[in-house]
Amino acid sequence: MTPDSPAPHPHPRLSDEDEALVAAARAGALDAFNALVARYERPAYGLAFRLLGDQTAAEDVTQESFLAAWSNLHTYRGGVFKSWLLRIVANRSYDELRRRQRHPSDSLDSLPVEPAAEWTTQTPAETPDDYALRRELARYLQHGIAHLPPDQRLTLILADVQGHSYDEIAEITGVNLGTVKSRLSRARARLRDELRRSRELFDRYVRQRDEHSAL
Amino acid sequence: MSANGSHPNDDPNWQLTHHLDDETLSAYLDHALAAPVRSSVAAHLAGCAACRRTLAELRAVVTLLGDLPAPAPPRSFALTPAMAAARQPRIIRLLPHLRALTAVAAVVLLISFTPDLLSRAGSSAAGPTLLAPMDVNRSPATDAQAPAASGASQPTTAATPPQPPPPAGRGEAATVPPAPAAAQRVPTTAPAARRAETPAPAAKPVAPAAAPKPAADQIAPAAAQAVPATMLPLPTPTLAPTPTAPATTTAVVTPGAGVAAPRTAESPPPAALTVAPRLAAPSRPAAGAEGSEPAAEAGALAGGWGWWRALQVALALAVFTLLLIILLAPRLTRSSR
């Protein structure tokens, strides 16, 4: 969904290997299923992490999701396996979010705490200044994501963080394309408003991006 | 940067008077606009700095999001065999075995019908071993009974098949209710026997029907014999009108034969009488053999074929139940997500 920047996250489709693995797993081959786990645990965990904001909860949800996928393999009726799996992750994350809403005292913080380690990756092309700017803005971004309504949050993460297409998002979230588009645009607009709060930083960043890309 | 309700599509002057809304810009960013709309948006952007700015901000947000690193999973989420076994409902794990079991049971069930099919194909039946006791029972009374019984039995035997597990049928053809094959045999013999009955006056042409007829004959008498022998649990209340005709036959032929007896006993007897003895004698051996099969089925309750039929029923039920389990197990064990 970012036509200008290089696609950082390739999104694989249901390949022949996947089909073979799924078929074997359905027949009861745990090895085949674990091969699928290895293939998709990164986007699965990433989605749970971004939705929930903390590592422990994300771990639990991810493990539960894979267990549920294993139990319910017989209900998987084809289509992109990754979408089916991510749908399970999204639903379980929603369950966790709802549980948090009912028992706010359970969570230590109302805002999810992002481990600092995540932001320390500086790309080779970046100057230290650029990197610092990006890291600062990313903190506001995280704050903004945490305050999005769950539907918009899920759509935004799938589209802009993980790079899924509209169709894939529709499949994962179970809504039509129009709803996907409107949720995405609203989520982006809210984040933009959030970032405008630190006007100076944001302006600087926007100018910088403008210089790097054609309109 | 205000968002307006109108859309580039509706108004040719749109680009001069409005600014682009977030949804349009967002779709533009993703190359998700139709060509004509896209070009009118592009045209507007060319002339509107405010919208260009908004678009740039949206693009920055998307880029920032895309640059977020994908968090590395802190550990592997592969399932251990213990975890996997705990999570798979036992029924689902057994499904492949259940399917195999169903297939085997179905095949066995089908094979079990082979004796019935074979005996139907051939005129002689299996079970000569059961012939002796039946033979003994076939006293001279049989012949006397045969005509009346045959006349009486035919309509009744024809009647019984339509109601597979009929108490009436039990008594009469005594074809064991759960034995579809036996029930099938009765119709084949009944129509033939009836054919024999109607042209009864023309006794000679009955000869071709001799084989089935004696069979029908035998069904009744044998059944009649079996009735007292085994003692039918159901004395067939339906057949209330006890035949008044052949006194000798009354007691034995009542079960099932009763209804028709009064009516048919009179007409066919003469012809049947002539026919029966003639046919009965020469064909007795063959008929005996023929009769042993239905007799056997008639005497089902006495043992012999009884357990076989029961086994078939059990197999059929098992196959049906297994199929239900196989079909419904996935639905019933589906976890919440």
Side-chain angles (χ1 to χ4, degrees):
Chain A
M1 300 290 96
T2 56
D4 304 342
S5 62
H9 315 283
H11 24 108
R13 308 208 152 265
L14 184 68
S15 60
D16 291 333
E17 307 156 41
D18 267 10
E19 277 194 56
L21 286 174
V22 171
R26 286 180 82 153
L30 187 59
D31 289 344
F33 184 78
N34 282 335
L36 287 168
V37 171
R39 189 176 284 221
Y40 295 120
E41 61 185 358
R42 203 170 171 105
Y45 176 75
L47 179 63
F49 183 76
R50 297 263 171 238
L51 281 173
L52 299 171
D54 89 86
Q55 176 171 326
T56 312
E59 275 188 61
D60 290 343
V61 165
T62 308
Q63 188 67 80
E64 266 301 306
S65 300
F66 278 119
L67 281 168
W70 169 251
S71 306
N72 292 323
L73 259 183
H74 53 277
T75 67
Y76 167 64
R77 305 219 181 281
V80 183
F81 182 76
K82 185 182 178 190
S83 302
W84 181 75
L85 177 67
L86 289 182
R87 187 170 199 176
I88 297 177
V89 175
N91 283 329
R92 283 186 186 261
S93 302
Y94 275 5
D95 290 344
E96 173 63 18
L97 287 174
R98 271 195 291 269
R99 197 193 62 83
R100 280 187 192 170
Q101 271 185 330
R102 283 196 298 267
H103 308 279
S105 55
D106 281 0
S107 58
L108 300 173
D109 238 342
S110 54
L111 288 183
V113 177
E114 191 97 343
E118 183 188 324
W119 305 108
T120 56
T121 46
Q122 177 176 344
T123 66
E126 267 184 328
T127 68
D129 278 345
D130 291 348
Y131 173 54
L133 176 63
R134 189 165 65 80
R135 209 168 55 167
E136 190 67 27
L137 284 172
R139 256 193 265 280
Y140 288 97
L141 208 60
Q142 190 61 28
H143 185 268
I145 291 174
H147 283 77
L148 286 173
D151 290 344
Q152 290 181 22
R153 194 188 315 176
L154 175 64
T155 309
L156 182 84
I157 292 168
L158 288 173
D160 294 336
V161 178
Q162 297 198 330
H164 293 272
S165 69
Y166 283 171
D167 289 328
E168 286 167 340
I169 298 172
E171 214 182 302
I172 294 170
T173 57
V175 297
N176 60 39
L177 282 181
T179 310
V180 172
K181 286 183 192 178
S182 74
R183 282 180 184 171
L184 183 58
S185 69
R186 269 186 256 143
R188 285 170 173 171
R190 279 174 84 133
L191 285 184
R192 176 204 59 208
D193 295 343
E194 180 75 23
L195 289 179
R196 273 178 185 166
R197 297 232 194 105
S198 49
R199 181 47 87 178
E200 201 196 292
L201 285 175
F202 194 40
D203 283 355
R204 200 151 41 107
Y205 182 75
V206 173
R207 255 198 323 274
Q208 192 190 78
R209 298 305 310 175
D210 262 357
E211 286 157 18
H212 282 73
S213 61
L215 198 63
Chain B
M1 316 292 157
S2 59
N4 287 300
S6 65
H7 195 268
N9 270 343
D10 308 327
D11 183 358
N13 294 323
W14 185 94
Q15 66 189 45
L16 303 175
T17 55
H18 296 83
H19 289 292
L20 300 164
D21 63 9
D22 289 331
E23 186 152 350
T24 309
L25 286 172
S26 183
Y28 180 79
L29 208 54
D30 297 334
H31 297 268
L33 289 175
V37 185
R38 182 179 175 77
S39 38
S40 68
V41 168
H44 174 89
L45 284 170
C48 177
C51 286
R52 276 203 302 276
R53 168 76 193 180
T54 310
L55 181 68
E57 286 176 331
L58 282 177
R59 184 179 280 121
V61 167
V62 173
T63 309
L64 269 172
L65 288 167
D67 285 344
L68 286 178
R75 64 169 213 256
S76 163
F77 292 101
L79 305 184
T80 63
M83 293 158 83
R87 273 320 198 90
Q88 200 171 37
R90 192 172 295 121
I91 278 291
I92 301 299
R93 256 181 294 154
L94 289 176
L95 271 185
H97 303 287
L98 288 179
R99 284 197 197 99
L101 190 64
T102 314
V104 168
V107 167
V108 170
L109 183 62
L110 285 174
I111 291 177
S112 73
F113 283 111
T114 322
D116 300 317
L117 294 172
L118 284 178
S119 61
R120 190 136 64 107
S123 55
S124 62
T129 52
L130 297 168
L131 183 55
M134 289 304 133
D135 249 336
V136 171
N137 286 344
R138 235 183 303 281
S139 58
T142 306
D143 281 345
Q145 291 172 8
S150 63
S153 69
Q154 271 113 49
T156 325
T157 50
T160 47
Q163 356 152 15
R170 269 260 194 96
E172 202 334 89
T175 37
V176 183
Q184 286 158 22
R185 301 184 78 255
V186 174
T188 50
T189 57
R194 203 177 345 197
R195 242 184 300 120
E197 176 193 72
T198 39
K204 306 311 203 288
V206 174
K213 186 168 197 299
D217 290 353
Q218 300 313 318
I219 291 180
Q225 300 306 326
V227 165
T230 67
M231 212 17 300
L232 262 232
L234 322 195
T236 66
T238 59
L239 310 174
T242 329
T244 53
T248 46
T249 67
T250 304
V252 251
V253 181
T254 301
V259 182
R263 285 195 299 282
T264 55
E266 279 63 38
S267 39
L273 257 171
T274 50
V275 171
R278 188 173 1 170
L279 295 173
S283 56
R284 163 110 47 140
E290 171 74 357
S292 67
E293 173 71 341
E297 281 153 338
L301 305 167
W305 287 100
W307 67 266
W308 184 243
R309 291 300 172 209
L311 184 69
Q312 285 183 311
V313 173
L315 264 179
L317 283 175
V319 168
F320 181 66
T321 312
L322 284 170
L323 281 175
L324 267 183
I325 294 175
I326 289 171
L327 285 173
L328 294 178
R331 262 164 260 269
L332 293 177
T333 59
R334 183 195 289 253
S335 29
S336 61
R337 254 174 301 227

